[in-house]
């Protein structure tokens, strides 16, 4: 089965450090979402792309977060500088751009900022 | 503000019974409603989708209903099994700028007792 690959699976970093999370969407999928999941807030939409163009990143703290798709096989989410409140699981999902097919999620990156 | 509400309390049922989970939404006009399953330490997995003009959808032991007047979806698992124990998330798709923005509820945990 095709899968969405996220790296790293786990990341522990010190407050103030830069963190970069990567996602390889399924080949042929043209829509990519970034979500953050915490116990308190559930799954929050941070940003999404269609055909590599950012369509909405209103859920993302702009001062420290940035999301890009340098090419169709790679999406990145960067936090600089990281803070303890950024500790969460970050998920990437990809899809064909039409919701009738559903979306495929990666296994997530568990980020801990100490 | 837009809200998607799922019962935060876990649903605990006996094996063989039908599990029914609820998803309510306000201030939203979704084109599609999706249901996902999430196991601990994993990303959500797409199960089923229903369109705004459909009342009911079935897939094996799963059934979803969608009432746009009540702004509610019900998700049923018939002949439940312990392996069905997981968190179930509903998500609404709404077209924004010729694309679809997927927003999730907080999920309901289902426990099926043997």
């Amino acid at each position: 089965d095709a899968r969405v690959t996220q790296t790293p699976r786990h990341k522990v970093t010190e407050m103030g450090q830069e963190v970069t999370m990567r996602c390889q969407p399924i080949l042929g999928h043209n829509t990519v979402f970034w979500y953050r999941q915490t116990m308190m807030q559930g799954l929050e939409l941070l940003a999404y792309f269609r055909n590599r163009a950012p369509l909405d990143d209103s859920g993302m703290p702009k001062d420290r977060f940035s999301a890009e798709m340098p090419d169709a096989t790679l999406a990145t989410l960067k936090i600089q500088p990281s803070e303890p409140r950024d500790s969460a699981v970050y998920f990437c999902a990809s899809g064909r751009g039409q919701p009738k097919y559903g979306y495929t999620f990666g296994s997530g990156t568990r980020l801990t900022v100490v | 503000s837009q809200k998607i509400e799922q019962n935060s309390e876990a649903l605990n049922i006996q094996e063989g019974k039908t599990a029914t989970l609820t998803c309510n939404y306000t201030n939203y006009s979704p084109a599609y409603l999706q249901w996902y399953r999430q196991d601990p330490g994993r990303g959500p997995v797409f199960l089923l989708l229903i369109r705004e003009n459909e009342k009911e959808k079935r897939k094996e032991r799963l059934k979803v209903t969608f009432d746009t007047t009540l702004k509610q979806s019900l998700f049923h698992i018939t002949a439940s099994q312990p392996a069905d124990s997981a968190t179930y998330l509903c998500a609404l798709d709404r077209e924004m700028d010729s694309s679809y923005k997927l927003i999730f509820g907080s999920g309901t945990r289902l426990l099926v007792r043997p």
Side-chain angles (χ1 to χ4, degrees), chain A residues 35 37 50 55-56 99 103, chain B residues 36 38 49 93 98 101-102:
Chain A
Y35 289 90
Q37 188 173 42
R50 189 178 189 193
L55 289 187
D56 189 335
Y103 297 96
Chain B
Y36 288 75
Q38 187 173 23
L49 171 149
D93 246 321
S98 302
K101 186 171 176 175
L102 189 64

Side-chain angles (χ1 to χ4, degrees), chain A residues 3-34:
Chain A
R3 57 176 67 181
V4 174
T5 303
Q6 288 188 248
T7 56
R9 286 297 312 273
H10 303 273
K11 176 74 177 177
V12 179
T13 191
E14 290 185 348
M15 182 173 65
Q17 296 298 304
E18 178 178 300
V19 175
T20 298
M21 290 168 271
R22 293 177 174 79
C23 168
Q24 182 177 356
I26 291 173
L27 193 64
H29 282 189
N30 67 349
T31 302
V32 173
F33 295 91
W34 279 106

Side-chain angles (χ1 to χ4, degrees), chain A residues 11-111:
Chain A
K11 176 74 177 177
V12 179
T13 191
E14 290 185 348
M15 182 173 65
Q17 296 298 304
E18 178 178 300
V19 175
T20 298
M21 290 168 271
R22 293 177 174 79
C23 168
Q24 182 177 356
I26 291 173
L27 193 64
H29 282 189
N30 67 349
T31 302
V32 173
F33 295 91
W34 279 106
Y35 289 90
R36 173 171 63 185
Q37 188 173 42
T38 60
M39 289 291 291
M40 294 298 293
Q41 300 294 330
L43 269 168
E44 298 175 274
L45 178 63
L46 297 176
Y48 76 110
F49 296 79
R50 189 178 189 193
N51 297 323
R52 294 176 55 203
L55 289 187
D56 189 335
D57 60 2
S58 58
M60 210 162 61
K62 299 286 189 309
D63 55 339
R64 299 184 299 108
F65 285 59
S66 61
E68 294 180 347
M69 276 201 77
D71 62 60
T73 65
L74 178 65
T76 61
L77 180 66
K78 195 173 292 189
I79 308 174
Q80 166 64 13
S82 57
E83 297 181 2
R85 59 180 167 153
D86 301 329
S87 298
V89 182
Y90 291 80
F91 287 105
C92 170
S94 73
R96 300 188 207 181
Q98 290 190 32
K100 65 179 180 180
Y101 300 112
Y103 297 96
T104 303
F105 279 74
S107 297
T109 294
R110 180 174 293 277
L111 174 66

Side-chain angles (χ1 to χ4, degrees), chain B residues 32-97:
Chain B
Y32 299 87
L33 190 145
Q34 305 184 21
W35 284 89
Y36 288 75
R37 168 184 173 141
Q38 187 173 23
D39 291 283
R42 302 264 184 126
V45 174
F46 173 70
L47 295 175
L48 211 54
L49 171 149
I50 189 165
R51 292 181 175 82
E52 61 179 337
N53 60 354
E54 295 178 317
K55 297 285 188 197
E56 183 179 298
K57 199 76 166 287
R58 290 176 186 260
K59 180 182 176 183
E60 298 171 356
R61 293 186 297 111
L62 308 180
K63 184 178 88 170
V64 173
T65 62
F66 195 10
D67 188 326
T68 53
T69 302
L70 290 179
K71 295 188 182 295
Q72 181 182 78
S73 175
L74 299 178
F75 178 79
H76 307 272
I77 305 175
T78 58
S80 60
Q81 304 165 0
D84 295 326
S85 299
T87 297
Y88 291 86
L89 301 153
C90 74
L92 302 183
D93 246 321
R94 180 165 181 248
E95 187 172 4
M96 304 278 291
D97 302 321

